[in-house]
Amino acid sequence: MCPGVGQGRDRNGPRTRTRVETEACPSTRTRIETDECPGVGQGRGRNSPGTRTRVETEACPGTRARVKIDVCSGVRTMVEIEVCPGARRRVKTKVCQGGPKRYEGQMALRWGIITAGKISHDFVNAFNSYPDKGDQVIAAVAARSATKASEFAKLHNIPKVFESYHAMVVTNEIDIVYIGALNPDHYGLAKMCLENGKHVLCEKPLCLNYKQTESIIRLAKKTNLFLMEAVWSRFSPIYLALEKEINSGKLGDVHYVEVNFGSPISAVQRVCMKDLGGSAVLDIGIYTLQFAQFIFKEEPTKVTAIGELNEDGVDLVDTVVLDYAGGKKAVLNINSKVRLINNATVYGNKGRATIEDPFHFPTSMIHADGSTEKIPLHTSPIPYNFENSAGLVFQALEVARCIKQGLKASPRMPHKESLTLAKLEDEIRRQVGVKFDVDSEEYP
């Protein structure tokens, strides 16, 4: 080789192949092949747990080195070092699927998914099919059924399957957990995640009642970790357009909000069974409550609710009136027995704006001037279980943004808002006569 040609050393573990090619003086070629562990990087950096990779180079004076790093599943990484005339050295790495990515020197945000049910399917599908989700990956899944978890992982190309929720949250292979479990499990699972150093995005309702919600938020603050209730509506582009319309003054002073959410799901177990945390208010009513709070941004001064219960003591139908300061009102119709026209309309003294069906994650809005704005969602080759579930990705984008900035809560869905929603849900359940066993328990 010519004097001063760079020397490369790369130490890793099994399973991923790296090819180091060195082109030196004419007719000279050297190739070194090594096997590496998942998540191999180039230069200096941490990869899989306990593994360190280093490339060291000494070159002759005037050497120019160019390093380009973009490590993700199946992507090549190249380090090119130009040494004396006619010499070039390349290091090419193929990283196994699911290996940690590095963007500008920082590790990607790695998601672990708890449960392999319908909403988890839709969340992961929306996430994987979105073209510009940035530096975050779905790294692992855990479910009560190992078979179901394996099938879920295969469908969604998730590299790691854990045999239990606990096994996943104690590992250092994930940074944040998405909880898609049934309502009664939210508190315990979120607590386990936070106690093991994992950020949390938990499906709504965050917990079954105010006391649990207050407790889990207190724990998140104590552990200095990110926590958010997955009220995905808040991150809808149409909601942002409505907020802009209101702030522009085109509606004038907002005095009245009307929201309808009806879907024939009263026979679905998660809705109709008290042991599963069933409640129309907790399942679909929360969307109407969060919309009223999104508009008025203050706690109501009075809550009035009437409802219809099934034989298990679970509310299937609710009508709720929220009174706010200054005579403002929100009227919410919640029905798990029939489908309603699921619009949300905001009335001001100058005009009105309507979020069209489905208001909980819409793609169209009628402005005060009568024009209609449409913002379509991205598509996926894999079917969704629920309407407009492609929008679930926007909350993941918000979570990643917040964590990158060091925030422990989202400004668009803060802890204070989750506490307000829990308080309203408790009061509505109290008025219509729905009581859970956990309501009489105390939490740290």
Side-chain angles (χ1 to χ4, degrees):
M1 302 173 77
C2 296
V5 171
Q7 305 300 315
R9 295 200 298 271
D10 213 346
R11 299 189 302 272
N12 299 291
R15 293 200 327 186
T16 304
R17 298 192 69 79
T18 295
R19 185 173 71 230
V20 180
E21 295 184 0
T22 304
E23 296 178 9
C25 304
S27 305
T28 302
R29 182 172 180 136
T30 302
R31 175 177 295 178
I32 303 171
E33 293 191 357
T34 61
D35 289 336
E36 300 180 345
C37 60
V40 171
Q42 298 302 316
R44 298 183 180 184
R46 295 190 181 278
N47 306 302
S48 10
T51 302
R52 194 170 187 88
T53 301
R54 175 181 295 175
V55 177
E56 297 178 354
T57 304
E58 296 177 1
C60 52
T63 296
R64 183 175 63 192
R66 183 177 54 164
V67 181
K68 181 180 179 183
I69 300 175
D70 188 349
V71 183
C72 56
S73 59
V75 175
R76 287 185 180 179
T77 297
M78 180 180 294
V79 178
E80 292 190 359
I81 301 167
E82 295 183 6
V83 287
C84 50
R88 174 174 289 179
R89 177 182 178 278
R90 292 184 179 181
V91 180
K92 296 182 180 179
T93 302
K94 285 189 176 181
V95 181
C96 349
Q97 189 176 28
K101 299 186 290 187
R102 293 181 184 276
Y103 292 79
E104 300 178 355
Q106 293 190 9
M107 189 74 77
L109 184 68
R110 300 166 300 172
W111 289 83
I113 308 299
I114 281 187
T115 78
K118 290 182 177 181
I119 191 62
S120 294
H121 164 90
D122 282 9
F123 176 79
V124 174
N125 190 17
F127 183 101
N128 283 342
S129 58
Y130 193 70
D132 189 24
K133 53 187 161 284
D135 49 347
Q136 49 181 330
V137 294
I138 306 291
V141 62
R144 287 196 175 103
S145 165
T147 300
K148 192 172 183 181
S150 296
E151 291 172 351
F152 188 94
K154 183 178 180 180
L155 175 64
H156 295 293
N157 295 314
I158 300 174
K160 184 76 173 180
V161 177
F162 285 89
E163 61 185 12
S164 70
Y165 302 146
H166 183 264
M168 184 174 74
V169 302
V170 299
T171 183
N172 59 0
E173 295 182 50
I174 63 168
D175 308 299
I176 182 167
V177 176
Y178 168 79
I179 298 174
L182 291 169
N183 295 348
D185 297 329
H186 288 184
Y187 176 77
L189 289 171
K191 183 173 182 288
M192 179 174 65
C193 293
L194 293 170
E195 288 175 341
N196 285 280
K198 303 301 183 291
H199 304 295
V200 173
L201 173 65
C202 182
E203 265 306 326
K204 50 80 189 164
L206 182 56
C207 295
L208 278 179
N209 59 22
Y210 182 87
K211 289 187 288 187
Q212 286 187 342
T213 303
E214 187 179 42
S215 174
I216 207 66
I217 289 173
R218 189 160 46 239
L219 179 60
K221 291 179 178 179
K222 180 180 178 181
T223 55
N224 198 33
L225 292 164
F226 181 89
L227 170 69
M228 191 178 88
E229 183 175 10
V231 182
W232 56 310
S233 310
R234 291 293 174 91
F235 311 103
S236 158
I238 290 290
Y239 273 53
L240 300 181
L242 174 61
E243 193 170 51
K244 183 178 179 181
E245 179 101 330
I246 294 171
N247 292 340
S248 73
K250 292 179 181 178
L251 302 184
D253 295 328
V254 174
H255 290 283
Y256 184 74
V257 168
E258 183 179 11
V259 192
N260 301 315
F261 200 161
S263 181
I265 55 174
S266 60
V268 176
Q269 289 185 342
R270 74 169 196 277
V271 177
C272 68
M273 295 181 62
K274 185 181 288 188
D275 288 347
L276 299 182
S279 165
V281 163
L282 296 186
D283 196 89
I284 58 176
I286 188 172
Y287 289 113
T288 66
L289 290 169
Q290 70 80 27
F291 186 84
Q293 292 304 113
F294 174 71
I295 300 302
F296 290 127
K297 304 186 188 308
E298 61 183 77
E299 286 193 33
T301 58
K302 183 181 178 182
V303 178
T304 306
I306 57 174
E308 173 189 330
L309 307 185
N310 67 6
E311 62 278 1
D312 202 26
V314 169
D315 59 303
L316 300 180
V317 178
D318 304 277
T319 297
V320 180
V321 178
L322 304 177
D323 286 282
Y324 295 86
K328 296 175 289 188
K329 283 185 185 295
V331 177
L332 319 176
N333 293 303
I334 305 154
N335 200 309
S336 66
K337 297 173 72 175
V338 298
R339 177 169 177 83
L340 304 178
I341 298 174
N342 298 324
N343 289 348
T345 302
V346 181
Y347 296 86
N349 60 357
K350 292 183 180 179
R352 69 176 184 269
T354 297
I355 301 293
E356 296 194 294
D357 191 343
F359 84 91
H360 67 285
F361 207 96
T363 56
S364 62
M365 165 188 165
I366 302 174
H367 287 272
D369 62 5
S371 64
T372 299
E373 179 177 2
K374 295 183 181 294
I375 304 178
L377 299 172
H378 70 283
T379 59
S380 170
I382 302 175
Y384 290 102
N385 293 298
F386 304 110
E387 191 172 21
N388 284 0
S389 278
L392 288 165
V393 71
F394 290 100
Q395 62 186 345
L397 300 180
E398 172 69 0
V399 169
R401 183 191 70 82
C402 290
I403 292 176
K404 186 176 182 180
Q405 293 182 5
L407 302 177
K408 306 308 175 187
S410 165
R412 295 197 66 81
M413 189 57 210
H415 296 161
K416 181 181 177 181
E417 193 75 339
S418 290
L419 289 169
T420 298
L421 290 175
K423 187 182 296 184
L424 293 174
E425 291 154 5
D426 280 7
E427 178 59 21
I428 293 166
R429 288 196 298 110
R430 186 192 68 79
Q431 291 190 28
V432 301
V434 179
K435 182 175 174 60
F436 297 131
D437 291 341
V438 297
D439 292 338
S440 58
E441 297 180 13
E442 299 299 325
Y443 297 88

